[in-house]
Amino acid sequence: MHQEGSLVDQVTSSVSSSSAVVWARAESTEDIEPYETEVWSEEKGKRKETYYEKQRTQFVAIESWKGLHGKRFFTEVEVVCCVCGYRFVAGEEYLLYLYGPDKNGYYHASTCSRTKIISSKSREEIEILRKIGLTNQAKRPL
């Protein structure tokens, strides 16, 4: 993902194109839709391995700037190769730019969006969200 302009412009653009923007902690993850395929390596030879097409994650919102997701919500993300799926880790906190929810109530996240693990760099983005949130819509601490 590459966006032009200042960080404020990039964040503002991402907020407008997302259906929800929230800082949240991943409570649990579940790999779903398994499939088995044959793989080969020099060390282990030919063998079958199980991979998963999707990951479902339950989140607890910490602070929200956009969306009607509630305190607890779920994402369901395709995590197979080359589809921008974001694989979450239980216990970690994320800045989420979400899409959806789909007909089953799951939101979707993408490595091709601004979604990221909370770090010192994302804290700068959170401060921008707090500032633009006051003018774009009501800020909703949870």
Side-chain angles (χ1 to χ4, degrees):
M1 176 197 70
H2 177 72
Q3 290 183 319
E4 298 294 323
S6 70
L7 182 58
V8 172
D9 293 340
Q10 293 172 30
V11 169
T12 302
S13 174
S14 293
V15 168
S16 68
S17 64
S18 302
S19 54
V21 180
V22 59
W23 172 3
R25 184 179 63 255
E27 278 201 318
S28 63
T29 63
E30 174 187 11
D31 289 326
I32 54 176
E33 296 187 19
Y35 66 94
E36 202 171 77
T37 188
E38 284 190 1
V39 295
W40 184 90
S41 73
E42 252 184 66
E43 302 148 5
K44 297 181 182 179
K46 186 176 176 181
R47 68 195 182 288
K48 290 189 177 196
E49 292 222 354
T50 301
Y51 295 93
Y52 296 89
E53 292 193 12
K54 292 184 179 183
Q55 181 191 58
R56 188 175 296 144
T57 305
Q58 180 177 350
F59 284 95
V60 174
I62 296 168
E63 189 169 348
S64 178
W65 296 274
K66 184 177 182 181
L68 301 173
H69 46 74
K71 180 73 173 167
R72 281 193 163 68
F73 61 94
F74 289 86
T75 61
E76 192 171 277
V77 177
E78 289 192 40
V79 291
V80 292
C81 173
C82 316
V83 293
C84 293
Y86 200 110
R87 185 172 282 284
F88 297 105
V89 176
E92 296 289 347
E93 293 181 7
Y94 295 88
L95 179 56
L96 303 166
Y97 289 81
L98 301 171
Y99 306 94
D102 64 17
K103 66 181 180 185
N104 298 314
Y106 298 117
Y107 286 90
H108 304 280
S110 167
T111 59
C112 298
S113 72
R114 296 193 68 79
T115 290
K116 62 181 65 69
I117 197 162
I118 295 294
S119 67
S120 57
K121 186 169 182 154
S122 56
R123 296 212 184 259
E124 180 183 357
E125 196 163 324
I126 287 169
E127 289 306 314
I128 291 169
L129 285 164
R130 287 175 175 156
K131 288 177 185 168
I132 66 174
L134 297 174
T135 56
N136 292 342
Q137 63 185 45
K139 186 175 108 181
R140 297 183 314 116
L142 298 172

